[in-house]
Each structure stands twice: as C-alpha cells, then as structure tokens.
Amino acid sequence: MTSIETTTPTPRPTPTRRDVLRTASLVTLGGGAVLTLAACGADGQAGESVPTAAAPSSSASAASPSASSAPSASENASGKAEAAAPSGPSVATADVPVGGGVILQDADFVVTQPSKGTFKAFSKICTHKGCTVGSVADGVIKCPCHGSQFSIEDGSVKNPPASKPLAESDTKVSGSKVYVTG
C-alpha cells in the first residue's frame, strides 16, 4: 500500500521587526522617500512587500541617487539645499526691535538686536540677586528689583548694584527667526 502525503502551502511569513527596520534604514538612506520594498526573511526568501516611510536621519551617511526624483526634506522645490532650523528657544526677528530686545517668556533668555541684523542672547536672570529682568529699552536690559542695567551689546553692567555681566549665549538666524543655540 502506498501512502500519499499531502502538503498545504505555507503562508508567507509576516515581516519581522528586523525586516521593517532594515527597510526603514534603506528608505532613510534613499533620502526619506516613500518606497515599497521587499524585505528578506530569515530564511533568505523574499517576504511580503512592506510599505515604509521614514524621516531623514542625521546619521545617514549616503543617499542613493536613484531612490527618488522628488526633492528631499532638506531641499526646496528648485533642488537647492536648505539648512535645517536649529533647535532651541526662538523669536521672530521682526519682534526684536533694533536697539532693544525681547524677554522670552518660555525660556531663560533675553534676545537683543544692538544693530540692524545683529542678534545677541543673554540670561534673563540678574547677576545681583537672581531676579528676572523686566524690560529692554534705550540700549539696556533693566532689572526691576534693584535697578541694575546691562548692555544689549555684550551683557556688561551699565548700572549697579550688579557687578557681573549677564551670561551670553550663541544665536543663529534661520529663516525669519533667531534661535538661542548655546
């Protein structure tokens, strides 16, 4: 007597987390374009197509020129590279008056514009007794607690009782905003 074996087809394996991550890495290297790629399973067989979208990563070291013909997130419509906006507290450049400044409400900084197009950032904490400065006008940052005043150009003391300047931080203008970067 002969026995007959019947087999049922094995369903295609569901992509593993490794497959999805591998695909996302390829998409990232391809400039962040949305692609549909076939992921390889652990047994070397091609799995189901996995649609994947990934944001560009700063760790990407190379881009595949054939991955996408659309401009990437770091390019504008004309194909020219645009710098990514820095992170950190910011204020619109139009909101910072020339010869004055703005005290940021959500961060511990004062952003000043001593001359047109030159932006500076200083701590908004007075070096005398730790009060928060109250206003910026007439070329000085004013503390309401004891009358100390600081230069909008370099944070130096213009009127005691403070004896130390305000700490200065770096700024960067990107688009229509000035960012405190350090």
Side-chain angles (χ1 to χ4, degrees):
M1 192 157 141
T2 309
S3 84
I4 300 176
E5 285 186 36
T6 60
T7 60
T8 57
T10 308
R12 290 185 174 219
T14 302
T16 65
R17 183 171 186 260
R18 177 180 286 164
D19 295 334
V20 173
L21 292 174
R22 183 181 303 128
T23 302
S25 295
L26 293 172
V27 171
T28 299
L29 289 174
V34 176
L35 301 174
T36 301
L37 300 173
C40 291
D43 61 358
Q45 299 298 319
E48 295 289 324
S49 293
V50 180
T52 305
S57 167
S58 61
S59 63
S61 59
S64 170
S66 62
S68 172
S69 61
S72 71
S74 62
E75 294 179 357
N76 61 22
S78 66
K80 295 184 180 180
E82 293 178 353
S87 62
S90 66
V91 62
T93 54
D95 291 344
V96 184
V98 176
V102 174
I103 301 167
L104 302 182
Q105 297 304 312
D106 297 334
D108 289 332
F109 298 100
V110 177
V111 177
T112 66
Q113 188 175 188
S115 59
K116 186 168 179 63
T118 301
F119 295 92
K120 302 280 187 156
F122 303 99
S123 169
K124 72 177 183 183
I125 308 302
C126 180
T127 58
H128 175 238
K129 293 286 184 184
C131 292
T132 300
V133 297
S135 63
V136 184
D138 303 319
V140 293
I141 302 165
K142 300 176 182 182
C143 180
C145 293
H146 302 105
S148 294
Q149 295 182 4
F150 304 89
S151 168
I152 65 168
E153 293 180 19
D154 60 8
S156 63
V157 176
K158 292 295 186 184
N159 190 57
S163 60
K164 296 179 186 173
L166 294 175
E168 186 171 357
S169 294
D170 294 331
T171 61
K172 179 173 175 102
V173 175
S174 180
S176 62
K177 287 191 167 192
V178 59
Y179 293 83
V180 180
T181 59

